[in-house]
Amino acid sequence: MTALIEARGLTIHRPGSTETVLREVDFRIEPGEVVTVVGPNGSGKSSLVRALLGHMPLADGQVLRRPGLRIGYVPQRVQVDTAMPMTVRRFLSLPRRIGDAEATAVLARTGVPGLEGRQLTQLSGGQFQRVLLARALLHDPNLLVLDEPTQGLDQPGIVAFYQLIEDVRRETGAAVLMVSHDLMVVMRASDRVVCLNGHVCCEGSPEHVSEAPAYRALFGTEAQGTLALYRHHHDHDHDHGCTPHPHGADHGHHA
């Protein structure tokens, strides 16, 4: 198989019931590809990710993974027990112990050097997400999976985090599968967008999906304006050292 991971006819029921969360979903991601899954709350985005990772039973269909596939996973939520002290260094060694040099290097790689001795509970939201990303990168993944990774971050934090993801993808060649409810993220660097609402409503390039009636029905009339905004943000982010485009009023968060 050429795909890193592929779902065929994937159907998932809500745990403990016969209610269908996803019906007959076909999905694949190729090496080096960036795919973003969007959809309203309850559309099955996280269920799709958990099924692809083998964390959720299938009512029907199958998931195929390339032999030897290494997946780095940044989950939507990680509960930190405030009653149990845990340093960043110890967290990075779960479940596989790593050396000090490896820990130092991966934290520097994700923009949070020197946090080894810090307690997880003392980290800001942005620092914690970067530590989670560092842990996901330890195994040199072929596929990086991020499930709503910027929840709770402010706008500058979101922009900085996704710039980091773009850098990681460029340097490592890993494919990236992102789940997002934030349209600002979708149009930045995705090769392909998959729009879910219990099934695949539409998929294709960001430009193609933004024009699809099903996409507009789900996200409303602001969807087209969002695409224009993201094109602008994307251009500006990579236009280092140049004068910001005059038609944008919110460049402050790029500083």
Side-chain angles (χ1 to χ4, degrees):
M1 57 186 293
T2 61
L4 294 175
I5 196 164
E6 181 175 1
R8 298 176 182 173
L10 190 68
T11 297
I12 301 171
H13 291 164
R14 197 168 302 283
S17 78
T18 58
E19 181 184 354
T20 299
V21 178
L22 287 174
R23 184 184 303 280
E24 297 181 359
V25 169
D26 293 332
F27 176 89
R28 61 190 288 126
I29 184 165
E30 302 286 344
E33 191 178 23
V34 178
V35 177
T36 303
V37 178
V38 300
N41 289 335
S43 61
K45 302 187 299 293
S46 291
S47 294
L48 173 61
V49 167
R50 288 197 292 269
L52 292 174
L53 295 174
H55 299 168
M56 194 166 193
L58 310 182
D60 199 5
Q62 59 180 328
V63 173
L64 305 173
R65 300 176 190 85
R66 178 180 287 186
L69 177 65
R70 299 184 304 278
I71 299 177
Y73 178 43
V74 178
Q76 184 177 135
R77 295 181 185 87
V78 174
Q79 298 296 331
V80 178
D81 186 350
T82 57
M84 184 180 71
M86 181 176 290
T87 64
V88 169
R89 176 68 183 84
R90 184 180 172 201
F91 178 70
L92 290 177
S93 276
L94 297 176
R96 180 179 69 86
R97 186 174 297 278
I98 63 169
D100 289 342
E102 194 176 1
T104 297
V106 76
L107 289 174
R109 175 68 201 81
T110 57
V112 283
L115 290 185
E116 290 90 338
R118 189 83 64 87
Q119 294 291 323
L120 289 181
T121 53
Q122 296 175 337
L123 302 179
S124 69
Q127 288 173 328
F128 188 55
Q129 289 306 105
R130 287 168 181 257
V131 168
L132 287 175
L133 178 60
R135 187 165 175 258
L137 292 175
L138 280 171
H139 310 294
D140 189 24
N142 314 112
L143 173 62
L144 189 59
V145 179
L146 305 107
D147 189 357
E148 300 277 15
T150 59
Q151 279 193 342
L153 301 187
D154 60 13
Q155 188 60 32
I158 291 172
V159 170
F161 187 82
Y162 280 102
Q163 183 62 59
L164 175 59
I165 295 301
E166 288 183 26
D167 293 343
V168 166
R169 183 253 189 141
R170 184 175 60 252
E171 293 170 13
T172 67
V176 179
L177 171 58
M178 295 188 287
V179 174
S180 181
H181 69 282
D182 187 347
L183 298 183
M184 292 188 69
V185 170
V186 172
M187 304 307 175
R188 285 181 58 85
S190 299
D191 298 315
R192 187 157 49 90
V193 176
V194 177
C195 185
L196 287 183
N197 193 20
H199 63 284
V200 176
C201 299
C202 51
E203 68 174 306
S205 68
E207 292 79 9
H208 171 79
V209 169
S210 71
E211 299 290 342
Y215 177 83
R216 294 191 174 191
L218 286 174
F219 292 107
T221 55
E222 77 276 8
Q224 184 60 35
T226 301
L227 175 61
L229 177 68
Y230 289 134
R231 281 176 175 155
H232 168 62
H233 280 183
H234 183 73
D235 290 346
H236 179 59
D237 282 347
H238 291 276
D239 201 17
H240 299 299
C242 299
T243 303
H245 301 286
H247 59 271
D250 60 344
H251 295 294
H253 65 263
H254 292 294

